[in-house]
Amino acid sequence: MLRSFALFFFVFGCVSKVLCVQGSCGTRSEDAAPQGAVGCGCGQLRRDGAVEPVEDRTASEEPADKYSRGANERLPEGRADEKEMQSQMVLITGGEFLMGTDDPGIPADGEGPQRLVLLDSFYMDIQEVTNQQFQSFVSVTGYVTEAEKFGDSFVFEGILSESVKNQITQAVAAAPWWLPVKGASWKHPDGPDSNITDRLDHPVLHVSWADAVAYCSWANKRLPTEAEWEYACRGGLKDRLYPWGNKLNPKGQHYANLWQGDFPNHNSGEDGYIKTSPVMSFPANGFGLYDMVGNAWEWTSDWWTVHHSTDQQHNPTGPPSGIDKVKKGGSYMCHKSYCYRYRCAARSQNTPDSSASNLGFRCVSREQR
Ligand SMILES: *[C@@H]1O[C@H](CO)[C@@H](O)[C@H](O)[C@H]1NC(C)=O
Ligand SMILES: [Ca+2]
Ligand SMILES: [Ca+2]
């Protein structure tokens, strides 16, 4: 806990927020911050150091190994069905692109400097991994997510039922709209009294970085690097803000599931969705990829740093180690006033064991799967 706070000081240099005692913060306490500098508090969802996972995981039990197809070779029939459950992939033809931006929306996030990156070709899921897809993975492998092991996950206050909200005494000091909710998991995304029955085609949520790695590995895929994700997000456009261009709502249309209204108090749902939307509800980008920005944040394989070399790089994979993993694209909770992170160059971070009601993933692979 101390370490997260120290890091929080370091990253945001914002003393007032740290001193803001749990529960005593006004919900608009971030108004004083530069626009979007702190955002939706998405980076603050760290698990308390005092909370230990139910099981210690040894190296050989890393989810990626344990649940890889190799390790599950003898598992049940139903391969064909399982295959059909997988997301369609699209070829992202390699090439050069300008990663990051010299005109950062949130400089503290390390969006800049803009730098030349060369990537090999790869295939990418056209959609975020859905509840249904994750369910098929779990039913074949018996996988248990980290949120289920910890027994809780972070849920946005605005989507909790009153009865669950009333039982919660803790909050994230810097972002009081995030509540650690017992029993929240991918199966119970809005808390223990919710379910995914009507949301099988929505992005899976409350998955940690390791959970995402385990799923992709099982599917013979992997998480994208940040560079791959950003290149894919840009959809062939150069130096634009969004996957579709520079205008947020071309011709008055919504191109992503974001937040309209007054964050965090009122979501007008003008784009049709207060929470997540079924994947592919908004137009695809030039590469045929859906929901690259908005809907659910997406984990990448890179460790987080805000320092980037301007040297040209080939297939960069980020720093060799770190504390947080990079996530990209923003979510249905992002509004310009708090979380101007639904841009391709934007980025944020979480500890790998974090999970929340706005964070999911998609996979990539070198070959067509
Ligand atoms: C799932 O939630 C819906 C309400 O969102 C409820 O009507 C339904 O009974 C729940 N299903 C289960 C299996 O709990
Ligand atoms: Ca929305
Ligand atoms: Ca997304």
Side-chain angles (χ1 to χ4, degrees):
M1 205 57 175
L2 273 179
R3 194 172 60 176
S4 350
F5 273 22
L7 191 80
F8 185 50
F9 266 107
F10 172 72
V11 173
F12 299 109
C14 182
V15 177
S16 64
K17 274 189 230 44
V18 178
L19 294 180
C20 170
V21 178
Q22 286 183 353
S24 73
C25 308
T27 49
R28 303 304 302 261
S29 66
E30 291 187 356
D31 274 354
Q35 180 173 290
V38 176
C40 29
C42 307
Q44 305 310 317
L45 307 179
R46 297 164 195 285
R47 290 192 178 278
D48 192 314
V51 181
E52 293 296 332
V54 174
E55 294 166 34
D56 277 349
R57 192 186 297 131
T58 62
S60 65
E61 284 173 332
E62 283 298 328
D65 298 336
K66 190 170 171 189
Y67 295 99
S68 68
R69 288 208 182 226
N72 288 296
E73 223 42 88
R74 290 171 308 281
L75 274 168
E77 38 296 341
R79 261 300 151 75
D81 295 352
E82 175 201 309
K83 181 92 189 161
E84 279 160 28
M85 291 294 300
Q86 291 292 321
S87 172
Q88 196 187 322
M89 302 189 92
V90 68
L91 175 66
I92 310 295
T93 305
E96 268 180 4
F97 85 110
L98 291 169
M99 184 168 175
T101 175
D102 287 331
D103 184 18
I106 307 176
D109 282 353
E111 295 178 11
Q114 195 172 61
R115 53 217 185 262
L116 194 62
V117 165
L118 177 64
L119 288 178
D120 296 343
S121 299
F122 60 99
Y123 287 85
M124 186 175 229
D125 290 352
I126 63 171
Q127 53 167 82
E128 296 151 334
V129 171
T130 62
N131 284 318
Q132 186 157 34
Q133 289 166 340
F134 201 80
Q135 191 168 54
S136 93
F137 158 62
V138 167
S139 68
V140 172
T141 62
Y143 186 82
V144 179
T145 61
E146 290 200 283
E148 291 168 288
K149 288 182 187 169
F150 280 109
D152 63 23
S153 188
F154 283 101
V155 181
F156 172 52
E157 181 187 11
I159 61 179
L160 277 176
S161 67
E162 286 302 322
S163 69
V164 170
K165 216 185 298 184
N166 290 339
Q167 293 163 20
I168 297 169
T169 53
Q170 284 175 279
V172 179
W177 48 88
W178 281 115
L179 300 178
V181 175
K182 286 197 172 55
S185 71
W186 71 277
K187 289 181 212 168
H188 306 288
D190 305 345
D193 55 354
S194 66
N195 64 57
I196 55 170
T197 309
D198 298 333
R199 296 185 231 177
L200 289 173
D201 56 354
H202 288 228
V204 64
L205 305 171
H206 298 290
V207 280
S208 69
W209 184 85
D211 299 335
V213 167
Y215 175 93
C216 291
S217 162
W218 169 76
N220 268 325
K221 303 178 186 178
R222 60 177 172 81
L223 283 179
T225 64
E226 182 181 7
E228 286 170 336
W229 193 98
E230 186 170 325
Y231 179 66
C233 181
R234 294 179 180 283
L237 299 176
K238 199 178 155 195
D239 213 11
R240 297 294 204 280
L241 293 172
Y242 311 118
W244 56 87
N246 276 336
K247 277 182 121 166
L248 182 58
N249 301 122
K251 298 190 177 128
Q253 298 297 301
H254 289 281
Y255 277 68
N257 183 5
L258 304 172
W259 180 294
Q260 295 86 37
D262 177 22
F263 187 88
N265 300 315
H266 178 65
N267 186 341
S268 72
E270 191 189 288
D271 60 18
Y273 303 94
I274 300 280
K275 302 190 279 189
T276 55
S277 40
V279 297
M280 306 192 281
S281 296
F282 294 84
N285 75 0
F287 289 163
L289 302 165
Y290 295 84
D291 303 301
M292 288 301 285
V293 299
N295 213 17
W297 277 100
E298 299 175 26
W299 288 111
T300 73
S301 55
D302 292 29
W303 289 107
W304 172 263
T305 179
V306 294
H307 306 291
H308 311 290
S309 162
T310 50
D311 296 345
Q312 184 183 335
Q313 289 187 285
H314 184 199
N315 295 331
T317 55
S321 62
I323 294 166
D324 291 325
K325 288 289 183 178
V326 177
K327 63 181 182 180
K328 296 283 277 185
S331 78
Y332 68 91
M333 284 176 62
C334 280
H335 182 272
K336 189 165 185 178
S337 66
Y338 271 79
C339 181
Y340 184 34
R341 293 192 173 90
Y342 41 89
R343 293 167 292 114
C344 293
R347 53 209 299 275
S348 191
Q349 87 275 29
N350 279 113
T351 55
D353 62 1
S354 302
S355 60
S357 57
N358 65 350
L359 177 51
F361 68 102
R362 78 180 69 207
C363 315
V364 299
S365 61
R366 189 59 64 198
E367 272 133 46
Q368 174 92 64
R369 301 283 179 217

